[in-house]
């Protein structure tokens, strides 16, 4: 990791130092996804079977996973892991249930009643990547809030062969249909529908560059589907002072670095001594990691910033706007009011990122790439939409009418004014 | 308006009948915006001056409107209009203040504290179109929630010459800086910044096809800015039964139709008699409208659907997913639970759309083009982002550790597991 003394950097160097590695939105990926989209739109299920055979090397009999297959898979999941998953589920459920919004229903003035109604998005599609490690924790993070929100249809796509843990967790969380479809073809099938795959309104979940590109495309298409958020490589920023345990800090940096070669991990500290101790701890811990190569690559474009003070360290974090922000300083909670632009914040020595990744209750689907400045961490709200309602009594209408007439006149919208005038003329007391 | 009997339509005809006119996202617009972007990015303020002279025919001395100019403009706004604007402001403020979310702070299990923190988006840019009618009502709808949210910097762009009402309203609502810049160049300047225009994090507001395309482009650029929502032509669906007043219904349809030739207005009713009466009322009212031509064009692609029942009428509305939904049926509130996919709902005879457009308190910035299925009507939440926080006590950490270790193992993320293990090993009672 490169160590930089913040105060020695010029403005431009500071900006550069906080810049994330470029996301390679290559034209070849765009074209590949375009081709897959054409295939799925024109040939539906047949294309999905073929693409699955081509990319996943699996010849499917059915795109839909049967109840029997799910049942059998669930039986194979060890009891101890089931218990862990259920523990995580209970915490995630509790935290997301607490996000159910209160009713908003008030009179803004006498006889003018205004409300906010929160309703579930009807049909949601969850995408879970395949690969060697079955990301069943992401099933929890997506399916639990969908269920609490009351989404009427919850489907899940994941490439075959599907890990037992994913099938078990999906069933446990109330996913109604599981399709053995992966990659960009899964996103396209859910966005537009095929003979077997029913169209959904919004698509959630992580994925590789093809999945990300497919999500971007369907979100830009009028007949496509909404998406949860724009995705970039995962990242962590650890803010630590001289009281932090270097082993703890190193382990948090590494648990992010092992996610992918494009992950970015950053340490910001006012303590040179801690920075050195962390570097040594990383060396020690790295040696034992099975995903050492991946972590090493991620560390290559990762950085340590030496700040002049804790206040400056906070400024650097707010400027970087990290997905995960781990705060290992004395009395970490006292910094909370100053911290901004972070997806999820982990306070204190005993709140490593792993806790939130799996089981504390918070959601691990978070904005990356600086989007935390404007985008929320995934929550119940993302599975809902808000509608407003207004109802005016005749008296409320009459009281507000002059205001609306004056404004519509000034905006030269005569029909808007007439909609008020035509009613005023028919008010009982104004009738001849 | 074309009248269609719903039950006589085939599935495909139903789908077609509810399809919106295509949005012309023409390549020439994309290219024009690209050129403007290049100009603003390479030549900054100078390009803005030139583009303003070219498109708005105004030679500016300064891009920023001075405090003196604002003061003078405010003095020219008639007192009666000021009072109307202040009345609307009070209602909008009340409704959006009611949207301040409650604190979410709980223990998901003993010693595992989780929170949702809601923070303002720091820098927001509001866009207000120019043209003959000064849309100062949109200033209210954007600036009031930005102020309540606590956005640190609120700027506004609108093309010169700027109407007095816009300057007055912007100042009244706490907008800090007003730039006399319009069109796609305004969006690009706010998204990327120039010498004079400071970069913002998120851009709000309506605009023509160039503004919409610029918003799309900056929202897709990593260094750009977030945007409020994808925009399409404005639309209303009126759901009415035989008890509705045909004049009222006609006036609501027309107040939407006058917005633009591409507006869509739809009447859904189980009553043939009402449908005919509304058509006649439209003829009568249309004759008197100054924006008659615009409204006529909009009516050309607008429709009346005759439903078999009120239930079917509700289904049609939910399927169309209108921006504005006006409900003029006996006991309108009783339908509310069944209504879905609408931006804003207007209940009963005395709640015309104009009321919400200006002054009831609800926001008039709403999803169009069917996006109400997944997108919320603009509200306080759009000026904020949610971050999550977790803090575990040593005991809470120890209790949850086995769950996280089991899950990290199953996902083969060893470093995630180690971040827990390294802490467990150092717990006081586990020390040698």
């Amino acid at each position: 990791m490169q160590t930089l003394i913040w105060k020695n950097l010029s403005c431009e160097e500071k900006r550069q130092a906080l810049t994330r590695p470029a996301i390679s939105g290559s034209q070849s990926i765009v074209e590949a996804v375009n081709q897959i989209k054409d295939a799925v739109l024109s040939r539906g299920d047949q294309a999905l079977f073929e693409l699955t055979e081509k990319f996943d090397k699996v010849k499917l009999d059915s795109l839909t996973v049967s109840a029997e297959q799910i049942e059998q898979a669930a039986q194979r999941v060890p009891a101890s892991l089931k218990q862990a998953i259920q523990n995580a589920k209970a915490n995630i459920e509790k935290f997301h249930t607490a996000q159910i919004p209160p009713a908003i229903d008030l009179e803004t003035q006498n006889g003018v009643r205004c409300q906010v109604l929160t309703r579930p998005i009807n049909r949601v599609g969850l995408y879970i990547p395949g690969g060697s490690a079955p990301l069943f924790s992401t099933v929890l993070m997506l399916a639990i809030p969908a269920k609490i929100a009351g989404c009427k249809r919850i489907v899940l796509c994941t490439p075959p062969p599907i890990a037992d843990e994913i099938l078990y967790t999906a069933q446990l969380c109330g996913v109604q249909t599981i399709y053995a479809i992966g990659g960009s073809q899964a996103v396209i099938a859910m966005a537009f529908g095929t003979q077997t795959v029913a169209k959904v309104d919004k698509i959630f979940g992580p994925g590789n560059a093809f999945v990300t590109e497919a999500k971007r495309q369907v979100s830009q298409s009028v007949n496509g589907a909404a998406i949860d958020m724009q995705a970039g490589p995962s990242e962590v920023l650890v803010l630590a002072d001289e009281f932090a345990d270097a082993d703890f800090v190193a382990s948090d940096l590494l648990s992010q670095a092992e996610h992918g070669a494009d992950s970015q991990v950053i340490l910001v500290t006012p303590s040179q001594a801690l920075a050195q101790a962390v570097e040594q701890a990383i060396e020690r811990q790295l040696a034992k990691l099975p995903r050492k190569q991946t972590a090493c690559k991620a560390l290559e474009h990762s950085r340590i910033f030496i700040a002049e003070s804790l206040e400056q360290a906070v400024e650097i974090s707010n400027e970087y706007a990290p997905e995960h922000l781990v705060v290992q300083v004395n009395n970490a909670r006292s910094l909370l009011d100053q911290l901004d632009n972070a997806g999820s914040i982990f306070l204190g020595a005993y709140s490593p990122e792993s806790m939130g990744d799996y089981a504390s209750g918070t959601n691990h689907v978070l904005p990356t790439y600086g989007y935390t400045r404007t985008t929320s961490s995934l929550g119940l709200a993302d599975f809902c939409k808000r509608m407003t309602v207004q109802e005016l009594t005749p008296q409320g209408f009459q009281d507000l009418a002059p205001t609306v007439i004056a404004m519509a006149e000034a905006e030269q919208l005569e029909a808007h004014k007439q909609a008020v005038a035509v009613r005023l003329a028919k008010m009982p007391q104004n009738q001849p």
Side-chain angles (χ1 to χ4, degrees), chain A residues 138-213:
Chain A
T138 305
V139 180
L140 293 169
M141 299 297 172
L142 300 179
I144 291 172
K147 192 76 187 171
I148 295 169
C151 301
K152 292 192 190 102
R153 190 155 168 72
I154 307 173
V155 306
L156 184 150
C157 279
T158 190
I162 307 176
D164 294 340
E165 294 89 343
I166 288 180
L167 294 177
Y168 166 73
T169 308
Q171 186 192 40
L172 182 71
C173 296
V175 170
Q176 290 150 338
T177 309
I178 302 170
Y179 300 108
I181 313 172
S184 55
Q185 60 270 27
V187 172
I188 289 156
M190 290 194 283
F192 297 100
T194 70
Q195 299 90 328
T196 297
V197 183
K199 177 179 167 46
V200 303
D201 300 308
K202 189 169 181 179
I203 296 172
F204 297 78
N208 62 19
F210 295 92
V211 169
T212 299
E213 170 59 19

Side-chain angles (χ1 to χ4, degrees), chain A residues 108-131:
Chain A
T108 51
Q109 65 179 56
N110 278 340
V112 180
R113 180 175 175 186
C114 294
Q115 294 171 265
V116 178
L117 294 186
T118 302
R119 291 283 169 80
I121 292 172
N122 279 312
R123 307 168 297 182
V124 298
L126 318 180
Y127 183 76
I128 304 293

Side-chain angles (χ1 to χ4, degrees), chain A residues 242 246 270-278 306:
Chain A
E242 70 270 31
S271 165
Q272 290 248 15
L274 179 85
Q276 283 166 12
V278 169
I306 309 295

